Amino acid sequence: MMKSRVVPCLLAAAAACAAALLLWALAIRFPGPLTRALSPVQVSPWEMGKAAFFPLLAASPLLWRLEKGGSRGGLCLMALTGAVLALALTYAPVPPAAVAAMAIGGAAALYGLALRRVSGDGLPWYVLTVALAVAYILLTILPPGGGIFLARDDVAALAAIPF
């Protein structure tokens, strides 16, 4: 019984990591508006959230198929959780690819443990997922100049305060 819960989540996490790698490779090879909208442009919390959100969103149908159903709201919540985990892990002293992999793995594990049991109307989770996708696209085109949009190396709050 445990095997049937673990294997789909592991396969979905592996597929999401492969999708993240593919998106990053496409962004490097073919820099353009579409690849910039779907993959990280710099190492900022906002951009690293994209590194986990869109690959988890792409792996959601695979997880749905492997589980032969499940929670659609939970799958949307998994993608949102991945974005939040990547946002939180951006300032960890690890490479950006490791941040994305840890966020994807954490979101897939959380789905396997708890989020797959999310029941009820999935509409609020759909709306939040679509809203975040639209926000990622729009705020990649016209990025604000501060807060979570700053690159990890440009954050002045991490520097010493001279007084």
Side-chain angles (χ1 to χ4, degrees):
M1 179 132 188
M2 185 64 157
K3 182 181 176 186
S4 66
R5 280 192 238 167
V6 172
V7 172
C9 291
L10 287 175
L11 289 175
C17 285
L21 183 64
L22 178 66
L23 284 173
W24 258 331
L26 285 173
I28 290 170
R29 179 69 178 114
F30 304 108
L34 180 63
T35 57
R36 279 194 312 248
L38 298 177
S39 63
V41 177
Q42 61 185 354
V43 184
S44 70
W46 182 256
E47 297 289 328
M48 292 309 297
K50 282 194 309 190
F53 177 73
F54 286 117
L56 281 167
L57 207 56
S60 295
L62 173 69
L63 188 54
W64 175 263
R65 177 75 175 126
L66 289 174
E67 285 195 325
K68 296 176 180 63
S71 170
R72 291 184 180 135
L75 290 171
C76 290
L77 194 53
M78 177 185 70
L80 294 168
T81 302
V84 170
L85 284 174
L87 189 137
L89 292 171
T90 299
Y91 294 112
V94 295
V99 168
M102 288 188 303
I104 288 169
L110 192 60
Y111 177 81
L113 293 173
L115 298 179
R116 66 193 306 259
R117 294 183 185 95
V118 172
S119 62
D121 189 19
L123 185 62
W125 302 118
Y126 292 147
V127 169
L128 281 174
T129 303
V130 169
L132 185 60
V134 168
Y136 274 134
I137 292 168
L138 289 177
L139 293 175
T140 297
I141 295 169
L142 300 168
I148 63 171
F149 300 98
L150 283 175
R152 181 165 67 180
D153 298 333
D154 294 341
V155 177
L158 296 177
I161 299 173
F163 53 79

